[in-house]
Amino acid sequence: MIDSVSSVNKMAGLIISENSTAEELEPIALAIYGTIGLPITMRSKNHNGVRVENSKVVDYNYTGEYLEQALSTGKIVHGLAGSGPYKGMPVIVSPINNRNSETIAAMGTVNLSGYIDLKRF
């Protein structure tokens, strides 16, 4: 039998957990930003996270109302930001679940460009 903890410690890679820090989420948020070019916000259940704009992290202690809502409900959230740097802009946030279907993190984006249909709210 393989010890799963030992195997994980020997693997190079990224692991998201409810305790992931902003710095641990940074490469994932930057990669998503690189593919869609829209601001990305991401946080774990137990730590504030990152906000990415213009291919760089502009905040390492970020949370927002829709990130919090996705974490608490475990559902995709669509809406207009009520405050903060994206006030009045359409946002969509998706929960990230583990293998046991527990919500451990959330990732959101802001529709600055109009290229992606985020109007499903």
Side-chain angles (χ1 to χ4, degrees):
M1 180 174 196
I2 297 174
D3 179 0
S4 62
V5 174
S6 297
S7 296
V8 169
N9 291 336
K10 292 177 185 177
M11 294 179 356
L14 300 171
I15 297 174
I16 298 174
S17 79
E18 66 274 3
N19 291 310
S20 293
T21 64
E23 290 78 9
E24 292 168 335
L25 297 173
E26 177 180 0
I28 299 165
L30 287 168
I32 295 167
Y33 179 87
T35 63
I36 64 173
L38 296 172
I40 299 297
T41 61
M42 190 172 188
R43 65 159 291 164
S44 69
K45 181 177 179 181
N46 297 327
H47 294 280
N48 284 351
V50 294
R51 180 166 64 97
V52 174
E53 293 179 359
N54 300 317
S55 298
K56 64 182 179 184
V57 175
V58 295
D59 192 339
Y60 282 99
N61 190 34
Y62 188 78
T63 193
E65 62 185 307
Y66 292 114
L67 287 173
E68 301 283 341
Q69 188 175 345
L71 284 168
S72 67
T73 65
K75 296 182 180 190
I76 296 172
V77 180
H78 300 262
L80 297 175
S83 62
Y86 307 117
K87 183 177 180 177
M89 296 181 176
V91 297
I92 183 170
V93 176
S94 179
I96 299 171
N97 297 325
N98 64 16
R99 291 183 181 148
N100 298 322
S101 298
E102 300 163 329
T103 301
I104 59 169
M107 192 277 311
T109 191
V110 182
N111 189 12
L112 294 180
S113 67
Y115 292 123
I116 297 176
D117 179 17
L118 301 179
K119 298 178 184 174
R120 299 178 294 166
F121 52 100

